[in-house]
Amino acid sequence: MRYTGETCPVCHKAFTDDDDVVVCPDCGTPHHRVCYQQQNACANAALHSEGFVWTPAQPANIRQTAPVSTLLTQKPSASPMPAAQKPEDGHNIVFCPQCGAENAAEEPVCTQCGARLYNNAANGQPFLPPVQLPNGAAQGYRAGMVVISPTDTIDGNTVMDTAEYVQTASRRYIPKFYAMEKTGKKTSWNWAAFFFAPYWYFYRKLYGVGAILMVLLLAISGLTYTPRLAEKTDAFYAAQEQVQALLETQDASYTAAVQTLTNAYTDLATTPEFILRTVADLAVALFSGLFANTLYKKKAAKEIARLRANCQTPEEYRLLLFRRGGVSVFLCLAAFWIYQLGGYLLMVAISKLLM
């Protein structure tokens, strides 16, 4: 909401586009920040008990609300902006009536607690349940020495929207996505995906890629589970149990058991089937380390664009952006146990066939 031309009730001077304006959370009266701080209260505080609500004196100066489809589909300006909008930069804000957090005047709901702000009535739209949304406009990101603006774009979506979709660890992913966007690189290293694939994909809700990699690894495990590998694996585990049983003795028998374990592991590690499994695991890890960010960036861009096109209101868009994005610890753990159970059942089935 723009307040240019309206009058501050404290100093009685008209607001300009460059003024730092704050708004009373109870009645919506705009003040110069300095004026509000001097009084430490709204100039119309005495009228709050009567249900007073500030109304603009110059309707022509109030920003007209564009159709929702236009608000959601219009392209943001790519002009440079500060990485974080701060009050001293002249950014109009309102205080949340519920938690007191500062919000951009254009926000429909508080970015900290999800409470509806005074200047965004329901307008006949169904009320969406509150949800804590990240304040993307207040986040600062850097790619090397470059300060990334929240209004810059990544795959046609604003950095702010992309950050709200990523949520967890957005300060790590946004600079990577931004650098890939500007340099045209197709790969960017991801240590988490390297060490925890295929479970990382379920954590980041890339279910299709995660499922494909799980099936691939299970198939390789099934194809390489031969009687020879089973025999050497059993010998290794038996030697390991013997070492653990003799751990407290530290005598000659313990030394011999350690040597037996070493020999058993060497024998197992040099088996072609074991080598093939190791190579497959390493290939999946390297693929994930190199291409996980690329796949995640594409998935985020596609999902954000789809939500922006289909949502009917800005509130619905931001709420679904928050819910569809982020991470899922539950799905990550579920994928881990499903993979372990699938591998166990596969080995049992193959063992029965080989008997």
Side-chain angles (χ1 to χ4, degrees):
M1 188 171 189
R2 297 177 63 85
Y3 301 98
T4 304
E6 299 294 339
T7 303
C8 175
V10 179
C11 67
H12 304 294
K13 294 181 180 179
F15 296 116
T16 67
D17 288 337
D18 296 327
D19 282 342
D20 183 6
V21 180
V22 296
V23 180
C24 173
D26 294 317
C27 67
T29 302
H31 304 68
H32 290 108
R33 175 180 289 274
V34 174
C35 297
Y36 190 90
Q37 291 176 342
Q38 285 176 350
Q39 292 205 152
N40 197 29
C42 173
N44 295 317
L47 302 176
H48 289 174
S49 60
E50 302 174 5
F52 171 79
V53 176
W54 178 83
T55 56
Q58 303 181 47
N61 288 333
I62 301 303
R63 177 174 58 88
Q64 298 298 319
T65 302
V68 171
S69 58
T70 302
L71 290 173
L72 294 178
T73 57
Q74 63 184 359
K75 274 202 168 185
S77 169
S79 58
M81 288 182 61
Q85 294 281 11
K86 297 181 180 179
E88 54 266 27
D89 296 329
H91 185 64
N92 292 344
I93 65 170
V94 294
F95 291 109
C96 173
Q98 180 167 310
C99 69
E102 292 185 353
N103 293 268
E106 296 80 11
E107 290 288 346
V109 295
C110 176
T111 55
Q112 296 300 317
C113 69
R116 184 181 294 278
L117 301 180
Y118 87 94
N119 61 326
N120 290 275
N123 293 326
Q125 296 293 336
F127 179 74
L128 295 172
V131 63
Q132 184 173 352
L133 300 174
N135 187 358
Q139 301 297 320
Y141 301 98
R142 285 182 176 271
M145 297 300 293
V146 178
V147 177
I148 305 173
S149 165
T151 57
D152 208 337
T153 57
I154 298 176
D155 290 329
N157 303 308
T158 65
V159 169
M160 183 174 69
D161 285 355
T162 306
E164 290 189 358
Y165 181 85
V166 173
Q167 298 171 37
T168 304
S170 62
R171 289 185 178 274
R172 181 168 67 249
Y173 286 104
I174 292 301
K176 289 180 180 291
F177 292 173
Y178 184 85
M180 293 169 67
E181 172 86 359
K182 300 306 178 183
T183 62
K185 291 184 177 179
K186 302 299 183 183
T187 60
S188 175
W189 188 255
N190 187 320
W191 282 110
F194 175 79
F195 284 114
F196 299 108
Y199 315 118
W200 177 90
Y201 294 97
F202 291 91
Y203 180 69
R204 283 291 171 182
K205 301 183 179 180
L206 280 79
Y207 313 123
V209 181
I212 291 173
L213 293 180
M214 283 179 59
V215 170
L216 176 64
L217 291 175
L218 286 174
I220 293 175
S221 296
L223 293 173
T224 57
Y225 191 73
T226 62
R228 175 175 57 183
L229 181 65
E231 178 183 353
K232 293 185 177 182
T233 300
D234 291 342
F236 170 74
Y237 285 131
Q240 192 175 49
E241 291 177 359
Q242 186 178 11
V243 168
Q244 292 176 347
L246 298 173
L247 184 61
E248 297 181 358
T249 63
Q250 299 293 324
D251 55 10
S253 60
Y254 172 77
T255 303
V258 171
Q259 184 61 47
T260 301
L261 176 62
T262 302
N263 294 337
Y265 177 76
T266 302
D267 196 25
L268 175 63
T270 55
T271 305
E273 296 91 325
F274 184 86
I275 294 174
L276 181 57
R277 285 190 181 185
T278 304
V279 170
D281 290 339
L282 181 60
V284 168
L286 289 174
F287 169 83
S288 299
L290 287 171
F291 295 101
N293 288 337
T294 304
L295 296 170
Y296 190 29
K297 177 172 173 285
K298 289 182 178 179
K299 193 254 187 181
K302 183 178 179 181
E303 186 79 359
I304 294 170
R306 186 182 66 82
L307 291 176
R308 188 171 62 247
N310 295 332
C311 290
Q312 300 301 312
T313 66
E315 290 177 274
E316 180 187 10
Y317 169 62
R318 295 196 68 240
L319 183 62
L320 290 180
L321 195 68
F322 180 77
R323 289 181 172 174
R324 299 288 175 83
V327 299
S328 176
V329 176
F330 172 78
L331 289 175
C332 178
L333 294 176
F336 172 79
W337 288 112
I338 289 173
Y339 181 76
Q340 299 301 318
L341 179 61
Y344 171 77
L345 294 176
L346 183 63
M347 296 305 103
V348 171
I350 294 175
S351 297
K352 290 183 177 181
L353 290 176
L354 295 176
M355 290 178 62

